[in-house]
Amino acid sequence: MAQRQRKIPMRKDIVTGEMLPKKELVRVVKNKENEVAIDPTGKQNGRGAYIHLDVDVAKQAKEEKTFDKAFGIKISDDFYDELIAYVDHKVARIKLFGHE
């Protein structure tokens, strides 16, 4: 008997608008206090939005202030720089170790 194919959770990249497997995305979350943070676990409470694990996409998000628009609040450039660094680090890890 053939094994059933497990459904891959898909999410939309808010920068490019394409649907991608959740594993290839990073979740950014805004909590009730309007604090915005990277959510590596994907389980933090709050409104989440996803972008592709791609440094160019993260840079585009900074240029276009994508998360400011998505969450309707002003977000510092520091957050975007942190996001770019995080994505860069994750991409390097995936190249070395593959998806966890």
Side-chain angles (χ1 to χ4, degrees):
M1 206 161 100
Q3 269 200 318
R4 226 176 100 227
Q5 191 68 38
R6 275 190 50 218
K7 196 168 178 290
I8 298 169
M10 303 289 279
R11 295 292 181 269
K12 188 176 193 168
D13 177 335
I14 67 165
V15 178
T16 65
E18 59 184 317
M19 293 295 284
L20 294 158
K22 208 166 141 184
K23 257 202 248 159
E24 294 175 23
L25 299 160
V26 60
R27 182 174 188 253
V28 173
V29 69
K30 179 188 86 158
N31 65 17
K32 286 191 186 93
E33 290 75 44
N34 280 343
E35 296 163 335
V36 175
I38 296 165
D39 178 8
T41 63
K43 292 177 174 72
Q44 286 181 26
N45 288 330
R47 168 134 164 56
Y50 294 83
I51 68 162
H52 193 210
L53 277 172
D54 181 322
V55 175
D56 292 335
V57 173
K59 287 178 178 168
Q60 190 181 337
K62 181 181 179 179
E63 281 167 33
E64 297 173 3
K65 299 267 181 227
T66 305
F67 289 104
D68 296 49
K69 292 176 197 145
F71 296 138
I73 57 173
K74 177 92 185 78
I75 299 170
S76 73
D77 278 350
D78 291 348
F79 169 76
Y80 285 103
D81 292 336
E82 185 190 332
L83 179 65
I84 292 164
Y86 177 82
V87 169
D88 191 38
H89 173 77
K90 286 293 281 183
V91 169
R93 277 191 63 86
I94 289 166
K95 280 184 185 145
L96 282 174
F97 306 112
H99 282 286
E100 282 98 63

